Amino acid sequence: MHAPDQADLLTLLGTGLAVIGADLCVNWLNPALGEVLDVGPRTAVGQPLPALMREASLASQLERTLLERRPFNLRGATFGVARGREITADLTMQPLDDGRLLVEVHPLAPELNAVAGTPLSATLRGFAHEVKNPLAGLRGAAQLLERRVADNDLRQLASMVIAEADRLAALADGLLRHRGAARLGPVNVHELLERLEGLVGAEADALRVRHDYDPSLPDSVGDTDRLLQVLLNLTRNASEAGATAITLRTRVEHGARLGERTVRAALRVDVIDDGPGVADELRDSLFQPLVSGRADGTGLGLALSREIALEHGGDLRFTSRPGETVFSLYLPMERHHD
């Protein structure tokens, strides 16, 4: 990394950077971080960084890094900035040879900041760091298989593994890293459900799939990969809960209540399974991270799914009784502008 004295290059970086001294005051700050904090780089010099970020607890983390002389990462921290705004960001604190600290601030994507009040965000960001290496290994092994096997069916399965590994890696980058804005575009919900059915059918204990579609539905707007992830989570949860069949149903719901607003019409996708239902003790906390009805479950799938729904301006809800559990994904049929 360049020395902080060579700030001519560092000022051009999009990453927010600051150099602070042992007194935790700013010695240097680049324009990218000045923009985030809504303060001029010259004005920031000499001010305590915790005061600029309006977070007193940051001081103890900075002091710890100075004392222990080793890097420290702070993920998913929420800070107050100018005019009462808040940002959620990942911070990296790196000791420099001259006794000062280099602080990097990576604000998270606006759509994640919009739902940063959910307890999921910090959990997912930590989880993302853990899955990147296994995904890369999985993709590499599948590539070797794809090149070495002669059977066409096996090559197609290997290709599917590669595509899914790429999709999951992109999803992790898009949702959990600061550079990940949603890639919005037209979504044909029935084409999306056909893609889902192909993936469900390729799994070991494949569920029977029934359809109950409204063929008149227009295209929606969203991130196809993220919406597919929601539906995959729902179908896999159904299978792991003991369901043998699912029904995929599409409808338009008029006057739907989504969060704090009512929309004229919402697209509703129902995933209905014939499993034993959601246990009573899980109903109130089902969408919270680390809540799972299985001993080996991570408790991230439904929490992630609901966050994706909220990110799209929609919602994810459920009703359940023995023999019929319905998870309903709602997407507004008109774009909402704040």
Side-chain angles (χ1 to χ4, degrees):
M1 183 170 289
H2 295 288
D5 292 336
Q6 299 173 352
D8 53 334
L9 294 178
L10 295 179
T11 55
L12 301 177
L13 292 179
T15 300
L17 300 172
V19 176
I20 67 169
D23 59 357
L24 307 188
C25 289
V26 175
N27 296 168
W28 172 87
L29 179 142
N30 74 343
L33 185 52
E35 183 176 348
V36 169
L37 300 180
D38 203 7
V39 63
R42 291 184 181 180
T43 304
V45 172
Q47 296 193 48
L49 185 63
L52 286 176
M53 302 188 75
R54 303 189 184 185
E55 179 52 65
S57 63
L58 176 61
S60 62
Q61 303 293 350
L62 295 170
E63 289 169 349
R64 175 182 170 184
T65 308
L66 283 165
L67 178 65
E68 298 182 6
R69 307 300 302 162
R70 62 185 180 87
F72 188 83
N73 295 316
L74 187 62
R75 299 190 183 115
T78 299
F79 302 99
V81 292
R83 294 191 289 272
R85 292 188 302 111
E86 288 188 341
I87 61 164
T88 301
D90 292 342
L91 269 70
T92 299
M93 293 161 256
Q94 175 73 44
L96 298 173
D97 293 339
D98 62 5
R100 297 183 293 175
L101 288 183
L102 177 65
V103 179
E104 299 179 32
V105 179
H106 301 279
L108 298 175
E111 66 269 16
L112 280 186
N113 275 308
V115 292
T118 69
L120 175 63
S121 300
T123 303
L124 285 179
R125 280 188 291 279
F127 182 68
H129 290 277
E130 301 300 324
V131 302
K132 296 304 287 291
N133 286 339
L135 276 176
L138 178 68
R139 189 186 195 282
Q143 282 181 308
L144 287 175
L145 285 174
E146 186 182 38
R147 288 198 293 265
R148 292 181 181 180
V149 297
D151 185 275
N152 284 335
D153 288 340
L154 291 178
R155 278 204 300 269
Q156 287 179 0
L157 287 173
S159 179
M160 181 180 290
V161 171
I162 293 169
E164 287 297 287
D166 287 343
R167 184 179 62 79
L168 289 174
L171 182 69
D173 282 339
L175 285 176
L176 313 179
R177 303 295 294 174
H178 62 280
R179 63 177 181 269
R183 292 192 289 269
L184 299 179
V187 177
N188 183 307
V189 68
H190 296 133
E191 290 179 0
L192 182 65
L193 292 172
E194 285 179 10
R195 188 174 164 193
L196 170 72
E197 189 172 352
L199 292 170
V200 171
E203 295 185 346
D205 297 319
L207 294 163
R208 296 193 312 276
V209 180
R210 306 185 184 100
H211 310 120
D212 182 3
Y213 293 164
D214 178 350
S216 67
L217 290 178
D219 285 355
S220 184
V221 176
D223 186 312
T224 300
D225 281 344
R226 295 187 188 184
L227 294 175
L228 178 61
Q229 183 65 44
V230 172
L231 297 169
L232 271 174
N233 286 343
L234 298 179
T235 57
R236 287 171 177 164
N237 280 357
S239 177
E240 290 165 357
T244 60
I246 59 170
T247 299
L248 304 176
R249 181 171 64 194
T250 59
R251 293 290 188 271
V252 173
E253 185 163 320
H254 297 281
R257 183 74 176 172
L258 300 179
E260 298 301 316
R261 63 193 177 102
T262 300
V263 297
R264 288 194 301 270
L267 168 65
R268 194 184 81 227
V269 181
D270 297 326
V271 178
I272 308 166
D273 73 66
D274 62 353
V278 177
D280 289 341
E281 63 270 18
L282 297 179
R283 288 173 182 261
D284 292 339
S285 57
L286 192 63
F287 293 116
Q288 298 298 313
L290 307 181
V291 173
S292 175
R294 296 182 294 112
D296 58 346
T298 64
L300 287 174
L302 285 176
L304 170 60
S305 296
R306 188 161 189 267
E307 189 159 285
I308 293 172
L310 293 174
E311 169 189 80
H312 281 75
D315 202 356
L316 183 63
R317 305 169 191 165
F318 79 96
T319 60
S320 183
R321 59 181 175 81
E324 183 182 88
T325 296
V326 183
F327 279 89
S328 298
L329 171 64
Y330 290 83
L331 299 172
M333 296 184 71
E334 75 269 11
R335 296 302 297 161
H336 175 62
H337 301 282
D338 294 324

